[in-house]
Amino acid sequence: MKKKITISLFLVYIFFCGFLFFRNRQSNGSVRQDQLQEAQVQKYQKLLSAAKFKGNVTIYQDNRRVWQYATVGDANSSYLINSVQKELTGGLVMQAVAQGKLSLDDKINKFYTNVPNAQNISVLNLLEMTSGLDPNGAMGEAPYNNDDANAQKMIQDMHFNAQNFGKWDYQDLDYILLSHILEKATGQSYEALFNNMYVYPLKLQHTDFLWADQQKLKEIDFLSDGQNIDLNAIHGLLGAGSVAMSNDDLYATSSDLLNGRLISQQDKGIIYAPGNNSAGYRGGLYSKNNHYESNGAGYGYCNFLRISKDGQNAVVLQSVDSSNYGGLSKAADQIYSELFGK
C-alpha cells in the first residue's frame, strides 16, 4: 500500500512539473492570443488589413507577449528598423555619459573642428534635433571604406542653417554625427558599442547590422521585402537606420532601457526626457503623456514602437510594405491607446 502511495505521489509530481513547464513556455515563448478578447482580435486584424499590413505586430503587457499577429514571416522575423534605431543610439550616448567619456554639454568642436558652427552646437542639440545642421549630399562614401571617411564626407557636404539652430528640425544627420562622436569619445566602433550594450548582454538572437553576411542575416531570420538595399547608404546611416531586429528583440532592448537594467532610472530620465523642442523629442523617442513613441521608414520597411514609460507595456508593429505608412502609424496608435491609454 505504501509503495502504491509513493508511486502515485511521484506521478502527481511529474504531472505538476509538466504543467509548470507548459505554462512557462506559453508565457515566454509562444503566441498567447487568449489574452485579448476575440472581438478585439477581429477588430485589430481588420484594422491592420485595411492599412495594408504585411509584417508582424506584437502586444506586450506586464513584460510579456500577449498577442502576436504575423501576415508574412513569423514571430522571429527581423526587419530593418530604420529610425527606431535612434532610441538605441540615445542609450549608447547616455552610457558614455555615465562612464564619464562624454557630456551632453560637450560642443561638437571637441571631436570635429570642421563641422559648421561646431563651437556652439552641443551633444544635447544633436539628441534633440536642434543643431541647425542640414545634409547636402550622401551621408558617406561609395564604396564604403571606413566610418572615419564617412564622417568626413558627411561633414564636407553639410551646412549650417542659423534660422534652425535651437529649433526642432528632424534630420538623420544629427544621429549619424552622434554615432561618429561616440566612436571618438570611446575609442570603439559603433557596432562594437551596440553589440556590447545590447546584443551580448540581452542574448539577442534576431538582431544584426544589415551589412552582415548573408548567412548571418539568414540566422537572424531577416525578412527581405524584395528591394535592393544600398549597403553603402546603410553604412552612411550608421546609428540612424542600419540595424535589423525582430519585434521581441526590439521590445526587450527598449524595455530594458526604460526599466533600469541597461541604464539607471536617473539616466533614463535625462536621455528620454521631453526635449526642448516642439515635438517633445530627445534621445530617439517622442515623449507622450503616458508612453514613448518611435517611428521608422526606409527601403520599403516601416516600424512603429509605442511603449509605456516603465517599459512594461508596448505595441511593436513592423511591416515590409510602407505604402500606407500613415495608416499603419494610426493603427499602432489606436491599438496602444485602447489597451493602455494615451
mmCIF file with all atom_site columns, all heavy atoms in Angstrom, residues 72-83:
data_model
loop_
_atom_site.group_PDB
_atom_site.id
_atom_site.type_symbol
_atom_site.label_atom_id
_atom_site.label_alt_id
_atom_site.label_comp_id
_atom_site.label_asym_id
_atom_site.label_entity_id
_atom_site.label_seq_id
_atom_site.pdbx_PDB_ins_code
_atom_site.Cartn_x
_atom_site.Cartn_y
_atom_site.Cartn_z
_atom_site.occupancy
_atom_site.B_iso_or_equiv
_atom_site.pdbx_formal_charge
_atom_site.auth_seq_id
_atom_site.auth_comp_id
_atom_site.auth_asym_id
_atom_site.auth_atom_id
_atom_site.pdbx_PDB_model_num
ATOM 1  N N   . VAL A 1 72 ? 3.163  38.017 -42.810 1.00 0.00 ? 72 VAL A N   1
ATOM 2  C CA  . VAL A 1 72 ? 4.289  37.460 -43.551 1.00 0.00 ? 72 VAL A CA  1
ATOM 3  C C   . VAL A 1 72 ? 5.372  37.127 -42.527 1.00 0.00 ? 72 VAL A C   1
ATOM 4  O O   . VAL A 1 72 ? 5.414  37.710 -41.444 1.00 0.00 ? 72 VAL A O   1
ATOM 5  C CB  . VAL A 1 72 ? 4.849  38.427 -44.618 1.00 0.00 ? 72 VAL A CB  1
ATOM 6  C CG1 . VAL A 1 72 ? 3.809  38.720 -45.683 1.00 0.00 ? 72 VAL A CG1 1
ATOM 7  C CG2 . VAL A 1 72 ? 5.333  39.730 -43.982 1.00 0.00 ? 72 VAL A CG2 1
ATOM 8  N N   . GLY A 1 73 ? 6.250  36.190 -42.850 1.00 0.00 ? 73 GLY A N   1
ATOM 9  C CA  . GLY A 1 73 ? 7.257  35.800 -41.881 1.00 0.00 ? 73 GLY A CA  1
ATOM 10 C C   . GLY A 1 73 ? 6.607  35.192 -40.649 1.00 0.00 ? 73 GLY A C   1
ATOM 11 O O   . GLY A 1 73 ? 5.522  34.610 -40.714 1.00 0.00 ? 73 GLY A O   1
ATOM 12 N N   . ASP A 1 74 ? 7.278  35.338 -39.513 1.00 0.00 ? 74 ASP A N   1
ATOM 13 C CA  . ASP A 1 74 ? 6.740  34.808 -38.266 1.00 0.00 ? 74 ASP A CA  1
ATOM 14 C C   . ASP A 1 74 ? 7.227  35.666 -37.105 1.00 0.00 ? 74 ASP A C   1
ATOM 15 O O   . ASP A 1 74 ? 7.791  36.745 -37.309 1.00 0.00 ? 74 ASP A O   1
ATOM 16 C CB  . ASP A 1 74 ? 7.125  33.338 -38.069 1.00 0.00 ? 74 ASP A CB  1
ATOM 17 C CG  . ASP A 1 74 ? 8.629  33.110 -38.106 1.00 0.00 ? 74 ASP A CG  1
ATOM 18 O OD1 . ASP A 1 74 ? 9.392  33.988 -37.654 1.00 0.00 ? 74 ASP A OD1 1
ATOM 19 O OD2 . ASP A 1 74 ? 9.063  32.037 -38.588 1.00 0.00 ? 74 ASP A OD2 1
ATOM 20 N N   . ALA A 1 75 ? 7.040  35.179 -35.880 1.00 0.00 ? 75 ALA A N   1
ATOM 21 C CA  . ALA A 1 75 ? 7.372  35.964 -34.691 1.00 0.00 ? 75 ALA A CA  1
ATOM 22 C C   . ALA A 1 75 ? 8.860  36.266 -34.592 1.00 0.00 ? 75 ALA A C   1
ATOM 23 O O   . ALA A 1 75 ? 9.256  37.237 -33.951 1.00 0.00 ? 75 ALA A O   1
ATOM 24 C CB  . ALA A 1 75 ? 6.907  35.233 -33.437 1.00 0.00 ? 75 ALA A CB  1
ATOM 25 N N   . ASN A 1 76 ? 9.698  35.441 -35.229 1.00 0.00 ? 76 ASN A N   1
ATOM 26 C CA  . ASN A 1 76 ? 11.146 35.640 -35.137 1.00 0.00 ? 76 ASN A CA  1
ATOM 27 C C   . ASN A 1 76 ? 11.725 36.485 -36.264 1.00 0.00 ? 76 ASN A C   1
ATOM 28 O O   . ASN A 1 76 ? 12.916 36.801 -36.247 1.00 0.00 ? 76 ASN A O   1
ATOM 29 C CB  . ASN A 1 76 ? 11.858 34.282 -35.121 1.00 0.00 ? 76 ASN A CB  1
ATOM 30 C CG  . ASN A 1 76 ? 11.612 33.516 -33.847 1.00 0.00 ? 76 ASN A CG  1
ATOM 31 O OD1 . ASN A 1 76 ? 11.490 34.094 -32.776 1.00 0.00 ? 76 ASN A OD1 1
ATOM 32 N ND2 . ASN A 1 76 ? 11.496 32.197 -33.954 1.00 0.00 ? 76 ASN A ND2 1
ATOM 33 N N   . SER A 1 77 ? 10.922 36.835 -37.240 1.00 0.00 ? 77 SER A N   1
ATOM 34 C CA  . SER A 1 77 ? 11.434 37.597 -38.380 1.00 0.00 ? 77 SER A CA  1
ATOM 35 C C   . SER A 1 77 ? 11.999 38.939 -37.923 1.00 0.00 ? 77 SER A C   1
ATOM 36 O O   . SER A 1 77 ? 11.428 39.618 -37.070 1.00 0.00 ? 77 SER A O   1
ATOM 37 C CB  . SER A 1 77 ? 10.317 37.833 -39.404 1.00 0.00 ? 77 SER A CB  1
ATOM 38 O OG  . SER A 1 77 ? 9.862  36.620 -39.949 1.00 0.00 ? 77 SER A OG  1
ATOM 39 N N   . SER A 1 78 ? 13.128 39.316 -38.515 1.00 0.00 ? 78 SER A N   1
ATOM 40 C CA  . SER A 1 78 ? 13.720 40.620 -38.206 1.00 0.00 ? 78 SER A CA  1
ATOM 41 C C   . SER A 1 78 ? 13.546 41.554 -39.396 1.00 0.00 ? 78 SER A C   1
ATOM 42 O O   . SER A 1 78 ? 13.481 41.113 -40.546 1.00 0.00 ? 78 SER A O   1
ATOM 43 C CB  . SER A 1 78 ? 15.202 40.478 -37.851 1.00 0.00 ? 78 SER A CB  1
ATOM 44 O OG  . SER A 1 78 ? 15.947 39.963 -38.938 1.00 0.00 ? 78 SER A OG  1
ATOM 45 N N   . TYR A 1 79 ? 13.459 42.839 -39.094 1.00 0.00 ? 79 TYR A N   1
ATOM 46 C CA  . TYR A 1 79 ? 13.196 43.877 -40.087 1.00 0.00 ? 79 TYR A CA  1
ATOM 47 C C   . TYR A 1 79 ? 14.245 44.976 -39.952 1.00 0.00 ? 79 TYR A C   1
ATOM 48 O O   . TYR A 1 79 ? 14.758 45.214 -38.854 1.00 0.00 ? 79 TYR A O   1
ATOM 49 C CB  . TYR A 1 79 ? 11.821 44.520 -39.852 1.00 0.00 ? 79 TYR A CB  1
ATOM 50 C CG  . TYR A 1 79 ? 10.648 43.585 -39.890 1.00 0.00 ? 79 TYR A CG  1
ATOM 51 C CD1 . TYR A 1 79 ? 10.416 42.691 -38.844 1.00 0.00 ? 79 TYR A CD1 1
ATOM 52 C CD2 . TYR A 1 79 ? 9.754  43.589 -40.952 1.00 0.00 ? 79 TYR A CD2 1
ATOM 53 C CE1 . TYR A 1 79 ? 9.329  41.821 -38.873 1.00 0.00 ? 79 TYR A CE1 1
ATOM 54 C CE2 . TYR A 1 79 ? 8.657  42.735 -40.979 1.00 0.00 ? 79 TYR A CE2 1
ATOM 55 C CZ  . TYR A 1 79 ? 8.453  41.852 -39.942 1.00 0.00 ? 79 TYR A CZ  1
ATOM 56 O OH  . TYR A 1 79 ? 7.378  41.007 -39.961 1.00 0.00 ? 79 TYR A OH  1
ATOM 57 N N   . LEU A 1 80 ? 14.526 45.670 -41.042 1.00 0.00 ? 80 LEU A N   1
ATOM 58 C CA  . LEU A 1 80 ? 15.307 46.895 -40.949 1.00 0.00 ? 80 LEU A CA  1
ATOM 59 C C   . LEU A 1 80 ? 14.494 47.889 -40.134 1.00 0.00 ? 80 LEU A C   1
ATOM 60 O O   . LEU A 1 80 ? 13.391 48.270 -40.530 1.00 0.00 ? 80 LEU A O   1
ATOM 61 C CB  . LEU A 1 80 ? 15.586 47.459 -42.347 1.00 0.00 ? 80 LEU A CB  1
ATOM 62 C CG  . LEU A 1 80 ? 16.278 48.823 -42.409 1.00 0.00 ? 80 LEU A CG  1
ATOM 63 C CD1 . LEU A 1 80 ? 17.664 48.769 -41.779 1.00 0.00 ? 80 LEU A CD1 1
ATOM 64 C CD2 . LEU A 1 80 ? 16.367 49.321 -43.851 1.00 0.00 ? 80 LEU A CD2 1
ATOM 65 N N   . ILE A 1 81 ? 15.019 48.300 -38.957 1.00 0.00 ? 81 ILE A N   1
ATOM 66 C CA  . ILE A 1 81 ? 14.204 49.112 -38.046 1.00 0.00 ? 81 ILE A CA  1
ATOM 67 C C   . ILE A 1 81 ? 14.300 50.609 -38.333 1.00 0.00 ? 81 ILE A C   1
ATOM 68 O O   . ILE A 1 81 ? 13.625 51.417 -37.694 1.00 0.00 ? 81 ILE A O   1
ATOM 69 C CB  . ILE A 1 81 ? 14.544 48.843 -36.565 1.00 0.00 ? 81 ILE A CB  1
ATOM 70 C CG1 . ILE A 1 81 ? 15.971 49.317 -36.221 1.00 0.00 ? 81 ILE A CG1 1
ATOM 71 C CG2 . ILE A 1 81 ? 14.341 47.380 -36.228 1.00 0.00 ? 81 ILE A CG2 1
ATOM 72 C CD1 . ILE A 1 81 ? 16.277 49.275 -34.732 1.00 0.00 ? 81 ILE A CD1 1
ATOM 73 N N   . ASN A 1 82 ? 15.154 51.001 -39.280 1.00 0.00 ? 82 ASN A N   1
ATOM 74 C CA  . ASN A 1 82 ? 15.239 52.397 -39.693 1.00 0.00 ? 82 ASN A CA  1
ATOM 75 C C   . ASN A 1 82 ? 15.451 53.327 -38.500 1.00 0.00 ? 82 ASN A C   1
ATOM 76 O O   . ASN A 1 82 ? 16.265 53.040 -37.630 1.00 0.00 ? 82 ASN A O   1
ATOM 77 C CB  . ASN A 1 82 ? 13.988 52.772 -40.503 1.00 0.00 ? 82 ASN A CB  1
ATOM 78 C CG  . ASN A 1 82 ? 13.912 52.038 -41.830 1.00 0.00 ? 82 ASN A CG  1
ATOM 79 O OD1 . ASN A 1 82 ? 14.759 52.225 -42.689 1.00 0.00 ? 82 ASN A OD1 1
ATOM 80 N ND2 . ASN A 1 82 ? 12.916 51.183 -41.996 1.00 0.00 ? 82 ASN A ND2 1
ATOM 81 N N   . SER A 1 83 ? 14.694 54.411 -38.414 1.00 0.00 ? 83 SER A N   1
ATOM 82 C CA  . SER A 1 83 ? 14.942 55.442 -37.400 1.00 0.00 ? 83 SER A CA  1
ATOM 83 C C   . SER A 1 83 ? 14.621 55.028 -35.977 1.00 0.00 ? 83 SER A C   1
ATOM 84 O O   . SER A 1 83 ? 14.970 55.739 -35.033 1.00 0.00 ? 83 SER A O   1
ATOM 85 C CB  . SER A 1 83 ? 14.158 56.720 -37.740 1.00 0.00 ? 83 SER A CB  1
ATOM 86 O OG  . SER A 1 83 ? 14.710 57.346 -38.873 1.00 0.00 ? 83 SER A OG  1
#
